[in-house]
């Protein structure tokens, strides 16, 4: 009984320590990633790769570092390494859309169009409300000549955007409709309110 109480008392401290350790790993990874970004911008891609790898070692869930590492490999035409980086990233962070897009782009450049299409389908399955994911999938479908898939993707984007516009219009009408908001200082609004 006493051991259980001691464990219950220690648990919050352990959870807090884990949170602190997680935050510090993220901070370290962000610093390493920033170094890699600086070197990449200066044209030193080889050194940037090292910093991105260090960032991933510091925080294995750092999606941005996987993404940037894959992009550097794409810039160097190291397609196998790019594929490995993007695949490792989507394994750790399957919710991060740019990793899937980078993987699909890599696979497309490697000539593996069916695998690229599968990656894009997986992205839209995981993030069905992301219009950028649907646009990327539609663009790939067009490059593959899969016109019906491209059209379906663009329709999905259109339907989603139309729905957002309807919601926005309802909000605007609800908050700015002169008939619903009577303002005695406005002659037009007084007249409209009197007609209700």
């Amino acid at each position: 009984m006493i051991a259980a109480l001691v464990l219950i008392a220690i648990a919050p401290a352990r959870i807090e320590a884990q949170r602190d350790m997680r935050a510090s790993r993220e901070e370290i990874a962000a610093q390493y990633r920033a170094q890699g970004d600086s070197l990449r911008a200066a044209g030193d891609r080889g050194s940037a790769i090292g910093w991105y790898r260090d960032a991933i070692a510091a925080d294995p869930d750092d999606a941005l570092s996987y993404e940037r590492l894959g992009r550097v490999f794409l810039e160097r035409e190291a397609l196998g390494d790019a594929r490995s980086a993007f695949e490792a990233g989507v394994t750790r962070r399957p919710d991060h859309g740019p990793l899937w897009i980078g993987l699909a782009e890599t696979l497309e450049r490697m000539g593996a169009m069916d695998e690229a299409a599968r990656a894009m389908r997986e992205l839209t399955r995981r993030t069905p409300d992301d219009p950028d994911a649907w646009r990327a999938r539609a663009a790939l479908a067009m490059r593959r000549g899969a016109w019906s898939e491209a059209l379906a993707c663009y329709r999905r984007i259109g339907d989603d955007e139309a729905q957002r516009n309807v919601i926005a219009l309802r909000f605007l009408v609800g908050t700015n409709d002169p008939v619903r908001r009577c303002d005695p200082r406005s002659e037009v609004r007084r007249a409209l309110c009197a007609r209700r």
Side-chain angles (χ1 to χ4, degrees):
M1 178 77 166
I2 294 174
L5 291 175
V6 169
L7 287 175
I8 291 172
I10 293 173
R14 176 181 270 170
I15 291 170
E16 189 63 32
Q18 288 174 344
R19 279 190 202 134
D20 290 344
M21 189 168 49
R22 175 78 187 147
S24 66
R25 285 194 326 238
E26 290 173 355
E27 291 168 2
I28 292 167
Q31 290 170 0
Y32 290 164
R33 189 175 56 249
Q35 282 293 119
D37 291 345
S38 296
L39 290 165
R40 181 178 172 200
D44 187 358
R45 293 184 183 111
S47 296
I49 288 169
W51 283 101
Y52 293 140
R53 285 182 171 156
D54 289 345
I56 292 167
D59 181 8
D61 292 327
D62 183 22
L64 292 174
S65 293
Y66 285 107
E67 179 187 346
R68 296 202 178 125
L69 179 62
R71 289 285 164 198
V72 169
F73 283 131
L74 277 178
E75 291 166 6
R76 297 178 82 181
E77 294 295 322
L79 299 179
D81 291 331
R83 179 179 184 169
S84 296
F86 287 124
E87 285 177 342
V90 298
T91 299
R92 295 298 293 214
R93 292 290 306 278
D95 60 325
H96 191 72
L99 287 169
W100 288 103
I101 291 170
L103 176 59
E105 182 182 335
T106 303
L107 293 167
E108 181 181 2
R109 287 167 87 178
M110 294 174 87
M113 296 300 276
D114 291 338
E115 288 182 69
R118 275 194 295 278
M120 293 312 301
R121 283 193 294 274
E122 183 64 20
L123 170 61
T124 55
R125 185 186 72 75
R126 289 179 180 275
T127 59
D129 297 329
D130 182 3
D132 291 333
W134 288 100
R135 281 185 193 92
R137 181 176 169 185
L140 176 64
M142 287 178 55
R143 289 190 300 273
R144 290 177 43 236
W147 306 113
S148 60
E149 181 182 357
L151 181 60
C153 291
Y154 283 125
R155 280 189 179 143
R156 172 66 186 257
I157 295 166
D159 291 346
D160 287 348
E161 288 179 359
Q163 185 61 32
R164 277 194 295 280
N165 289 338
V166 166
I167 292 168
L169 288 173
R170 284 184 185 153
F171 172 77
L172 288 172
V173 168
T175 58
N176 295 321
D177 186 5
V179 176
R180 291 189 182 165
R181 292 180 57 214
C182 295
D183 185 353
R185 296 173 296 190
S186 167
E187 185 177 325
V188 174
R189 287 193 178 170
R190 273 197 314 267
L192 289 170
C193 289
R195 294 179 138 211
R196 263 202 278 178

